[in-house]
Amino acid sequence: MRIFRDADGVHVEAPAKVNLYLEVLGKRPDGYHELITIMQATDFCDEVIVAEAASGVSLAVEGAELPTGEGNLVVRAAKAFLDAHAPGRGARMRLVKRIPMGAGLGGGSSDAAATVVAIDRLYGLGISRTKMAAVGGKLGSDVNFFFNGGTALCRGRGEQVAGVYFPYRAAFHYVLLTPGTHVSTAEVYQNVGGIPLIKWMEHPHQPRERFEAHLEQTGEALLGHTQMIMALTMGDVAIVGARLKNRLEPVTLALYPELEPYKEALQAEGLAALMSGSGSSFFGLAPTREKAVEAASRLETRFPGKVRVLSGGGEPDYVWM
Ligand code: C5P
């Protein structure tokens, strides 16, 4: 998250993320799904610019048709953060939108996090990450990841974030395909099975044989994220590629079968491919930035305007929360 201040106000970059790993542990009593996911921020960014205002919150959006009132997460983020930490102050905000929406790239959540960081800087509030996360967790499941950036392991609804420290900072390069289909995250979660860990925990007093059978079933799923962290630490593209996993991918593909060709096209380029978040974007992991650019230029003829090269993971922006 790059930050600078000029005559227009405080500028904060709001990066898109990809999910390299996403496992659903089960449905919780509050209706949300318990997750283990590994997210990585990329160099594909929106930008939020915030200037002082005597009172009230206003927003102008460039690059997309978006609501500029309460319907926009940026406005809700600004109001919630000002109410909690700078009551009586206002913000005049501009959002430069590049990241497609409903694409599984976390654009809206990233914009919300960038807004909070921008307002904190604008007024020199010095609010801790923990307090920012208390606001972010209420705005959306992915918001808190973006206070961290880099690569992080996220649990709970996704709002509990632990930065992953990589002593050897390998950069990863992706070819991103954004089909333009707006996927409803809520609809995808309604149709996900997941591993029934939560159900098990609600009924713990079961015979030992059933517990053993359950462990058999869930053991691999519960280890997957650890293996991915090790693969990312090694920086080995082939191993990371083999470990890519997203429990939501088959659900989204069943709901939106027209997305299948996007994944297949990345695989046909010889790339390990995965859907990000609840979709509709797919990314292919390339061995180098050059290879990603080559594959992207071939794919551009088939999917004009829907192809982009992203990099993530290499920047030293690890922050412990
Ligand atoms: O938190 P966010 O607004 O991003 O989530 C959108 C919807 O996705 C939620 O209303 C919920 O239906 C579903 N969801 C879920 N479990 C999660 C995250 C999201 O069921 N961990």
Side-chain angles (χ1 to χ4, degrees), residues 295-315:
S297 65
R298 282 189 295 269
L299 288 163
E300 182 64 33
T301 49
R302 185 168 161 204
F303 303 107
K306 296 178 170 178
V307 190
R308 187 167 262 111
V309 172
L310 316 183
S311 296
E315 288 174 28

Side-chain angles (χ1 to χ4, degrees), residues 13-305:
E13 272 184 351
K17 57 87 175 162
V18 288
N19 297 76
L20 302 175
Y21 183 90
L22 193 158
E23 183 58 278
V24 179
L25 301 183
K27 192 172 176 179
R28 315 192 317 193
D30 66 1
Y32 278 91
H33 290 76
E34 187 73 11
L35 305 181
I36 297 182
T37 183
I38 296 171
M39 299 204 256
Q40 187 167 83
T42 71
D43 58 354
F44 177 32
C45 298
D46 288 343
E47 189 178 356
V48 176
I49 305 111
V50 180
E52 289 188 27
S55 66
V57 165
S58 66
L59 174 68
V61 182
E62 291 166 29
E65 292 288 324
L66 278 178
T68 54
E70 289 281 339
N72 196 309
L73 199 59
V74 161
V75 172
R76 296 208 294 280
K79 286 190 172 169
F81 189 63
L82 286 167
D83 278 354
H85 299 293
R89 288 185 146 149
R92 191 159 49 82
M93 306 182 292
R94 195 151 61 89
L95 168 63
V96 182
K97 197 76 202 152
R98 302 185 194 100
I99 304 169
M101 286 153 289
L105 301 171
S109 302
S110 189
D111 298 341
T115 300
V116 166
V117 170
I119 293 174
D120 181 71
R121 275 300 165 94
L122 182 70
Y123 290 121
L125 302 174
I127 302 299
S128 69
R129 298 260 166 165
T130 312
K131 286 185 176 156
M132 287 186 187
V135 173
K138 289 191 198 124
L139 294 167
S141 304
D142 286 346
V143 174
N144 288 351
F145 163 73
F146 293 102
F147 294 131
N148 186 86
T151 307
L153 177 68
C154 308
R155 292 173 183 269
R157 287 187 289 123
E159 89 288 12
Q160 296 167 24
V161 182
V164 179
Y165 175 62
F166 295 114
Y168 165 56
R169 284 181 202 290
F172 294 90
H173 307 286
Y174 308 98
V175 181
L176 183 78
L177 290 182
T178 47
T181 306
H182 193 294
V183 168
S184 157
T185 301
E187 187 190 12
V188 172
Y189 276 108
Q190 272 156 28
N191 288 281
V192 75
I195 56 170
L197 182 68
I198 303 269
K199 252 200 159 38
W200 172 270
M201 289 161 92
E202 284 171 1
H203 305 281
H205 305 295
Q206 298 191 41
R208 186 180 160 176
E209 311 77 70
R210 301 239 333 243
F211 178 66
E212 299 286 347
H214 184 78
L215 271 191
E216 192 94 350
Q217 199 189 344
T218 59
E220 198 204 308
L222 291 177
L223 283 176
H225 68 282
T226 314
Q227 294 169 344
M228 176 55 99
I229 288 170
M230 288 170 72
L232 288 167
T233 307
M234 288 168 70
D236 188 308
V237 170
I239 301 177
V240 171
R243 296 275 164 202
L244 292 174
K245 177 176 182 174
N246 183 347
R247 175 71 67 171
L248 303 179
E249 186 185 82
V251 184
T252 302
L253 285 175
L255 291 168
Y256 304 85
E258 68 272 22
L259 296 176
E260 198 90 49
Y262 292 90
K263 174 156 182 168
E264 285 166 6
L266 290 165
Q267 289 172 326
E269 286 290 337
L271 309 176
L274 191 73
M275 188 181 80
S276 185
S278 53
S280 59
S281 298
F282 290 82
F283 59 90
L285 178 58
T288 61
R289 178 110 188 161
E290 293 68 38
K291 294 263 190 244
V293 170
E294 281 168 32
S297 65
R298 282 189 295 269
L299 288 163
E300 182 64 33
T301 49
R302 185 168 161 204
F303 303 107

